[in-house]
Each structure stands twice: as C-alpha cells, then as structure tokens.
Amino acid sequence: LGLGWRDGSVPLQWSLRVLEEIKPILRLAIPPRLLPQTGSVMHAAPLVIRCFGPFEVVRDGRLLPASAFARRKALRLLQTLVLRRGAPMHRDELIELLWPGVSARSGANRLHGVLNVLRSALEAGRSAGASRYIVCRDNYYFFDNQAPHCIDLFDFLDLVASARALQRQGGDERALGPLEDAVALYRG
C-alpha cells in the first residue's frame, strides 16, 4: 500500500511482517474477549471496510460479494478513495488512474458509470445521485469520513498512535490496551 506509520520511522510492511511472525505468540497472551471472532463485524457500523487480509466490504452486517460491484473498477475506485483518508481527488486524476490515456469525454462517462455502481453497492436503496460515502464537490471526489463507517487499517493506525502517545507519557502498561486492540484488528 505504500503507507507507513504516522511518524514515518517504521515502515508498515516491516511492521506487518513482524506482527504476522508474532501473531501465534500474541494470540496466547491476548485475552479471548479481544480476539476477533469468526464472522464478527467491527463495531456496529453500517459500512465496514477491511484492508487487512483480503479486501472486504461489509454493509449492514453482511459481506458484499465481488459480484455486488458490477464493474471491476468500482472496487479499485473505492480502494483509491479510502486510502486517501478523506483527501479529495480530481475527476481527471481518477480517470487517468483508472483508464490511462482515454479521452476526457470517454473517461467521464466511464467514471460516472463506475461511481453509480460503487454508490449502489455501498448504499442499498439510495436515491439517484446521492451518496453519503462517495462525495463529489467541484469535480473532486472523496470518501466522506464523517459518514458512519469503520476501516480496519485506519483504526489499527489510530490505536498504534494512541499506544505510542501513552508510552511517551510513561504509561507503558496503559499502552498495552490499544496495542492489544490493534493486534485484534489485524488479520493476514
């Protein structure tokens, strides 16, 4: 993904590899209530996006199959917007990313179709053109982080940042709670 820890001093790939190697040991040390349950849904958010392990989207407690995204580019668009963590991306940038070299008119038509498929998959029964998750303002598109959702990757990073802050304040034992919660989110 090319993402790093918030302070940038520890590469994410290295950290995830280390977590994967110590996962069996951590599972023995973590209280069972904190271990992920098979089929459990993070929090009770209407939309859950899982980046760890296979990329998954859960809407209203149900895993959406790949077939729910009638166009392959819909998932790619969702991944792109989610990883930007609410930062907007111009329509032309999205078109070039999804269909390099295509004409502006053709690209705009394709993007419109993919956006419709994506919005429909994320929000059953939505009214035409409306979306609380995929928002457009002045030809800039973004995933609205104010809408109710959970994304395991960002919850993980926030918990690690919280643990680091507690540790810097001298609360090594208090830092264990957020770290245990972060490990419980990780699934390889």
Side-chain angles (χ1 to χ4, degrees):
L1 297 175
L3 298 173
W5 295 98
R6 285 222 171 139
D7 63 11
S9 65
V10 180
L12 182 60
Q13 293 295 4
W14 175 85
S15 302
L16 294 177
R17 191 175 65 246
V18 169
L19 276 174
E20 189 63 33
E21 291 172 6
I22 65 170
K23 193 189 307 184
I25 297 167
L26 289 174
R27 288 201 177 274
L28 295 173
I30 296 174
R33 66 179 174 77
L34 294 176
L35 291 175
Q37 303 299 313
T38 304
S40 70
V41 176
M42 294 173 6
H43 310 287
L47 182 68
V48 175
I49 299 174
R50 297 177 180 150
C51 298
F52 290 129
F55 186 81
E56 295 177 340
V57 179
V58 177
R59 183 187 69 207
D60 298 324
R62 295 196 173 152
L63 179 65
L64 293 180
S67 61
F69 300 90
R71 295 189 183 186
R72 287 180 300 154
K73 300 284 185 174
L75 273 177
R76 173 98 188 269
L77 177 59
L78 176 61
Q79 291 167 339
T80 300
L81 294 176
V82 162
L83 288 177
R84 293 181 61 88
R85 207 170 192 181
M89 192 167 186
H90 194 271
R91 177 191 65 196
D92 295 341
E93 289 178 276
L94 288 170
I95 291 169
E96 185 61 29
L97 175 71
L98 296 170
W99 303 281
V102 74
S103 72
R105 183 176 182 169
S106 177
N109 287 337
R110 290 178 185 183
L111 181 61
H112 178 75
V114 167
L115 283 163
N116 187 49
V117 165
L118 175 57
R119 288 171 170 157
S120 295
L122 296 180
E123 301 172 76
R126 72 179 177 88
S127 58
S131 176
R132 62 181 169 171
Y133 294 107
I134 308 300
V135 178
C136 178
R137 290 198 185 116
D138 299 323
N139 289 320
Y140 283 87
Y141 292 87
F142 60 95
F143 183 89
D144 188 355
N145 285 320
Q146 301 303 311
H149 72 284
C150 291
I151 301 172
D152 62 355
L153 173 64
F154 299 128
D155 288 347
F156 178 89
L157 293 173
D158 291 344
L159 287 164
V160 170
S162 173
R164 284 187 172 158
L166 289 168
Q167 191 176 28
R168 280 192 296 273
Q169 296 168 4
D172 287 346
E173 284 200 31
R174 289 189 351 231
L176 288 177
L179 287 174
E180 289 173 342
D181 291 346
V183 170
L185 287 175
Y186 180 76
R187 58 191 188 96

